[in-house]
Amino acid sequence: MDLKKLADQYKDELLDNVLPFWLEHSQDHEHGGYFTCLDRKGNVFDTDKFIWLQGREVWLFSMLYNKVEKRQEWLDCAIQGGEFLKKYGHDGNYNWYFSLDRTGRPLVEPYNIFSYTFAVMAFGQLSLATGNQEYADIAMKTFDIVLSKTNNPKGKWNKLYPGTRDLKNFALPMILCNLAMEIEHLLDKGCLEKTMEVCIHEVMEVFYRPELGGIIVENVLANGELSDSFEGRQVTPGHDIEAMWFIMDLGKRLNRPDLIEKAKNITLTMLDYGWDKEFGGIYYFMDRKGCPPQQLEWDQKLWWVHIETLISLLKGYQLTGDKQCLDWFEKVHEYTWSHFKDNEYPEWYGYLNRRGEVLLPLKGGKWKGCFHVPRGLYQCWQILEDINLVARNENKNS
């Protein structure tokens, strides 16, 4: 592969295709915030606003403003979304709703912990972009609530009967791995280090199961033991592989090559485990015992799963030099670009059936917004640029 050409491919797709789509079609200039339910051409087909996706878009444009270029249109987009979230997204005590109507009236109670985590990401990056202390305070107050809810993320909205099968889920420690790095500029050293170590332990010691061949399970019992139930047998390859690039970032930050190596190896294990050997692509859900999964969409191929895999493979190659990562990257890259990219209209498809055919032509909805595609394009572009820079310097010195 020509890594210089690949870097340009990811950069151009981000700057010339994906970002203009969201800037043009998602901003609600009348009421604030963003539309995310966008059809193939970018037309709005539903005006409800989902806090996950509002926060993610604030984060995305703030991050690009901070790390790529001080474009005023990016900052303006982030600020207007942040102001909408600040005004309408929570109950006044930073309990973040799940969804709002177009004007900002709450539709669904604040039961979902990830509304909180993406609010933290959003206001953390927005505070960096603007220097606004109010945004930093919102991020920290919300982060404190997240930490207080780790043992019971849904709180009073938890529908499970207590004491019979108490499960804990992989998603929260996984996201906290990334969240701690996102707001490092706001955390004191002790809190940061404690959060990092707890997350690394949970992800790499509790949910990672060497006795199952080195896979990660989505749910375990509260005492860390395996559960022989639908939830306890669930494996979500995309979640697991995405978490591994978070862990690699932590390994680099903490100067722990052993952690990076382990995360790289888990990436390769999970990818081989989750790859559809007949039709290509990565399964959405699997059952660790080979039983029928409870999710009817188990064999769908989703955009975020493949994009996050590309990031983890490139980081694995960059940080360890393992050529298996590059070989797999070439395979996943080819599948992703040939199946998810829409060659006629901007942005990417999100949902394919097992055979790789488009199931829904939407570009955004209740779960897909301005996040995984642009973040993945940015990450891959930056990693490829770094790999190319190292190669150029080595050639100069040889």
Side-chain angles (χ1 to χ4, degrees), residues 136-397:
D137 292 341
I138 293 171
M140 282 307 301
K141 288 174 183 175
T142 304
F143 185 67
D144 287 342
I145 296 173
V146 170
L147 293 182
S148 74
K149 293 167 73 72
T150 53
N151 290 328
N152 185 13
K154 293 186 179 181
K156 65 182 181 181
W157 294 285
N158 191 343
K159 64 185 179 182
L160 296 179
Y161 189 86
T164 304
R165 185 189 293 150
D166 293 330
L167 295 171
K168 59 180 180 178
N169 183 263
F170 176 71
L172 185 55
M174 164 204 165
I175 204 71
L176 283 173
C177 288
N178 182 240
L179 195 58
M181 296 279 282
E182 278 291 330
I183 59 167
E184 182 175 355
H185 61 287
L186 299 176
L187 296 176
D188 68 67
K189 185 178 179 182
C191 179
L192 176 66
E193 291 179 352
K194 180 181 178 182
T195 303
M196 286 180 174
E197 289 304 321
V198 169
C199 293
I200 291 169
H201 168 72
E202 288 286 301
V203 170
M204 305 299 275
E205 305 296 336
V206 177
F207 290 94
Y208 168 68
R209 311 301 294 209
E211 75 272 26
L212 298 178
I215 64 171
I216 291 174
V217 295
E218 193 72 10
N219 299 282
V220 296
L221 294 169
N223 63 6
E225 294 181 1
L226 294 170
S227 170
D228 190 4
S229 59
F230 274 121
E231 292 79 12
R233 293 191 304 269
Q234 180 181 327
V235 178
T236 316
H239 252 178
D240 308 333
I241 295 170
E242 179 182 7
M244 289 306 101
W245 74 259
F246 298 166
I247 294 291
M248 287 185 223
D249 281 352
L250 287 174
K252 184 177 179 182
R253 166 70 175 73
L254 298 169
N255 192 26
R256 288 185 54 185
D258 60 313
L259 193 60
I260 294 171
E261 182 72 15
K262 186 175 180 180
K264 178 267 294 180
N265 289 337
I266 294 173
T267 296
L268 295 173
T269 296
M270 290 307 310
L271 182 50
D272 183 66
Y273 183 87
W275 188 260
D276 183 343
K277 309 299 191 291
E278 183 176 356
F279 294 101
I282 304 164
Y283 289 117
Y284 190 12
F285 296 111
M286 302 177 75
D287 185 287
R288 63 179 172 84
K289 288 190 170 183
C291 302
Q294 65 172 324
Q295 297 89 355
L296 301 182
E297 68 276 23
W298 70 274
D299 64 348
Q300 289 180 17
K301 311 294 168 60
L302 268 66
W303 83 108
W304 68 266
V305 172
H306 294 76
I307 291 167
E308 298 301 326
T309 298
L310 291 172
I311 301 171
S312 289
L313 289 168
L314 277 184
K315 281 189 187 284
Y317 174 68
Q318 178 191 30
L319 296 173
T320 72
D322 190 333
K323 294 292 176 58
Q324 292 181 87
C325 293
L326 206 56
D327 292 341
W328 262 113
F329 175 81
E330 185 171 11
K331 189 173 183 177
V332 179
H333 166 88
E334 191 283 327
Y335 182 92
T336 303
W337 283 78
S338 64
H339 288 81
F340 290 101
K341 177 175 166 56
D342 183 347
N343 291 314
E344 188 173 353
Y345 297 102
E347 243 288 342
W348 290 19
Y349 300 119
Y351 303 90
L352 314 177
N353 64 20
R354 184 182 175 188
R355 293 183 297 276
E357 300 159 339
V358 176
L359 270 177
L360 296 170
L362 58 79
K363 298 300 174 59
K366 183 176 181 178
W367 305 105
K368 184 180 187 293
C370 181
F371 187 62
H372 286 287
V373 173
R375 182 177 73 166
L377 293 170
Y378 165 78
Q379 283 279 343
C380 291
W381 162 35
Q382 294 298 309
I383 299 165
L384 287 163
E385 288 281 13
D386 289 344
I387 292 171
N388 290 325
L389 179 61
V390 169
R392 286 196 299 271
N393 290 335
E394 288 177 348
N395 288 334
K396 284 181 183 178
N397 296 328

